[in-house]
């Protein structure tokens, strides 16, 4: 799987999770959750501020139109993930339409991919 943001493209290993039912509430697109490591690779020094966009962090101007609030419910409670449109997502060599969500946590893989993208 590859993710492109501007001039940065990273290859990632995704964990397919049939329980990942996250959707962008505006477009209905599925959401791929990125680990902290991959968020940092794609967004560099801006990653930490972007992860905290709904906690009062200053969001760089170039990302303000790309940010989406992704509501998330787990057994532990409810929260908002910071979703983002990026320039390109390819799964298995095939372009796909999805939103990425930045995580400030390390995950068991580079990203968590909804099964519907396969």
């Amino acid at each position: 799987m590859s993710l492109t943001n501007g001039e940065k493209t990273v290859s990632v290993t995704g964990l397919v999770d049939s329980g990942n039912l996250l959707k962008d509430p505006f477009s209905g697109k599925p959401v791929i959750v990125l680990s902290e490591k991959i968020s940092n690779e794609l967004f560099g020094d801006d990653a930490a501020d972007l992860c905290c966009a709904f906690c009062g962090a200053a969001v760089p101007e170039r990302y303000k139109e790309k940010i989406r609030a992704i509501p998330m419910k787990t057994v532990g409670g409810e929260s908002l993930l910071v979703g983002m449109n990026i320039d390109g997502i390819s799964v298995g060599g095939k372009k796909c339409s999805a939103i990425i969500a930045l995580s400030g946590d390390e995950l068991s893989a580079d990203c968590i991919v909804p099964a519907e993208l396969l």
Side-chain angles (χ1 to χ4, degrees):
M1 180 171 167
S2 68
L3 306 170
T4 302
N5 178 45
E7 295 182 11
K8 292 182 185 178
T9 298
V10 295
S11 293
V12 298
T13 301
L15 173 68
V16 177
D17 181 2
S18 60
N20 176 357
L21 304 175
L22 295 172
K23 300 275 187 191
D24 172 26
F26 297 107
S27 67
K29 292 179 183 178
V31 176
I32 299 168
V33 181
L34 304 183
S35 69
E36 180 180 32
K37 173 186 161 201
I38 300 303
S39 295
N40 288 334
E41 285 184 37
L42 268 182
F43 296 98
D45 293 339
D46 294 328
D49 286 340
L50 289 170
C51 282
C52 296
F54 304 126
C55 315
V59 174
E61 194 66 37
R62 66 183 170 275
Y63 295 118
K64 286 187 177 178
E65 290 186 19
K66 294 183 174 189
I67 286 183
R68 302 283 185 265
I70 308 296
M72 180 177 75
K73 266 189 190 181
T74 66
V75 292
E78 297 179 10
S79 63
L80 286 176
L81 291 175
V82 174
M84 179 94 52
N85 281 313
I86 59 174
D87 300 316
I89 299 173
S90 175
V91 177
K94 179 179 78 170
K95 283 190 144 196
C96 68
S97 182
I99 300 290
I100 56 102
L102 286 75
S103 173
D105 298 323
E106 282 310 318
L107 307 172
S108 56
D110 292 336
C111 60
I112 307 297
V113 182
E116 72 180 89
L117 291 178
L118 299 182

